[in-house]
Amino acid sequence: MLSTTERTRLGRAKHKARTDRAELYDLLDAALVCHLGVVVDGAPMVVPTGYGRVGDTLYLHGSTGARSLRVPGEVCVTVTLLDGIVLARSTFHHSVNHRSAMIYGTPRVVTDEDERTAGLRALTEHLAPGQWDVARRPNAREMAATRVLALSLEEASVKVRTGPPADDDEDRALPVWAGVLPVRQVFGEPEPDPALAFDLAVPDHVAHRPDPA
């Protein structure tokens, strides 16, 4: 079950809340980018970034010089998948079908080398499954320039909206089209790097990667 703290409990539209922790994992595994919210010098900063999940831990990474990764204290990480544009008969009831998550916590800097490697592998495999085993691994200099953060998924909420518009009864007779315009993310044709040193075929894990759920 997901946590039910004051920060994760929905104040409005409580029917959109999800309590099954598996739905959080499914959402995180389906999305590719999260937004890391921190406070830097008294001002909010929200940074889009890649991530990887191992069990109940989210791994984030970046340069050791990145301000967003050097701020002590709590952070808020959000992930959103847009599934459809909901067009209603009234502008007030326009909406979006989506799956979203908010995660609160204090990340820890990962110093154990085995965990650092595991976290970076999770990040790589989440963004590009199969790539960790074919690409060159980080060398000592690159590892020294990289900061890896681990964030517990203990305090998190999931919110989901599905279905048609929720127009008022008196508006349903209006001669205005209403419904849902689905939104889907698909992968296109792989584009080889012009600087490839060899005549290499696109690997199967790239060419046949399934589209996101």
Side-chain angles (χ1 to χ4, degrees):
M1 297 288 289
L2 290 173
S3 57
T4 54
T5 67
E6 286 301 317
R7 295 190 294 190
T8 60
R9 189 178 297 113
L10 293 188
R12 296 180 60 255
K14 295 183 179 180
H15 64 282
K16 297 178 183 178
R18 297 294 185 268
T19 59
D20 189 343
R21 184 162 288 272
E23 293 200 52
L24 172 65
Y25 297 156
D26 289 345
L27 171 57
L28 292 175
D29 294 346
L32 296 175
V33 174
C34 72
H35 286 82
L36 170 65
V38 298
V39 176
V40 178
D41 297 330
M45 174 186 289
V46 179
V47 183
T49 184
Y51 64 89
R53 182 180 72 86
V54 177
D56 208 35
T57 300
L58 199 71
Y59 287 97
L60 310 167
H61 85 304
S63 166
T64 54
R67 290 187 298 168
S68 59
L69 301 183
R70 290 188 286 112
V71 178
E74 288 195 315
V75 303
C76 178
V77 171
T78 62
V79 174
T80 302
L81 287 174
L82 179 63
D83 295 322
I85 308 299
V86 181
L87 297 100
R89 297 164 183 81
S90 67
T91 56
F92 180 81
H93 285 296
H94 278 62
S95 186
V96 294
N97 284 342
H98 71 283
R99 292 162 282 164
S100 62
M102 296 185 69
I103 303 154
Y104 294 95
T106 302
R108 58 181 173 84
V109 178
V110 180
T111 56
D112 178 82
E113 288 306 314
D114 288 341
E115 187 182 5
R116 276 165 55 82
T117 299
L120 292 174
R121 182 185 188 281
L123 281 150
T124 302
E125 286 296 292
H126 181 66
L127 188 64
Q131 198 68 8
W132 183 262
D133 292 330
V134 299
R136 177 180 66 78
R137 308 285 173 82
N139 58 35
R141 176 182 57 80
E142 292 165 339
M143 290 292 281
T146 302
R147 173 165 292 195
V148 179
L149 299 182
L151 178 64
S152 170
L153 297 176
E154 178 180 357
E155 187 178 5
S157 66
V158 173
K159 183 178 179 180
V160 176
R161 193 221 188 266
T162 61
D167 273 310
D168 296 330
D169 289 341
E170 57 267 28
D171 288 334
R172 296 187 188 281
L174 293 174
V176 178
W177 189 91
V180 177
L181 180 63
V183 176
R184 299 185 180 94
Q185 182 172 252
V186 298
F187 293 115
E189 284 292 319
E191 301 175 357
D193 181 357
L196 277 175
F198 303 95
D199 185 16
L200 298 173
V202 179
D204 285 346
H205 69 274
V206 176
H208 300 135
R209 181 174 179 178
D211 292 329

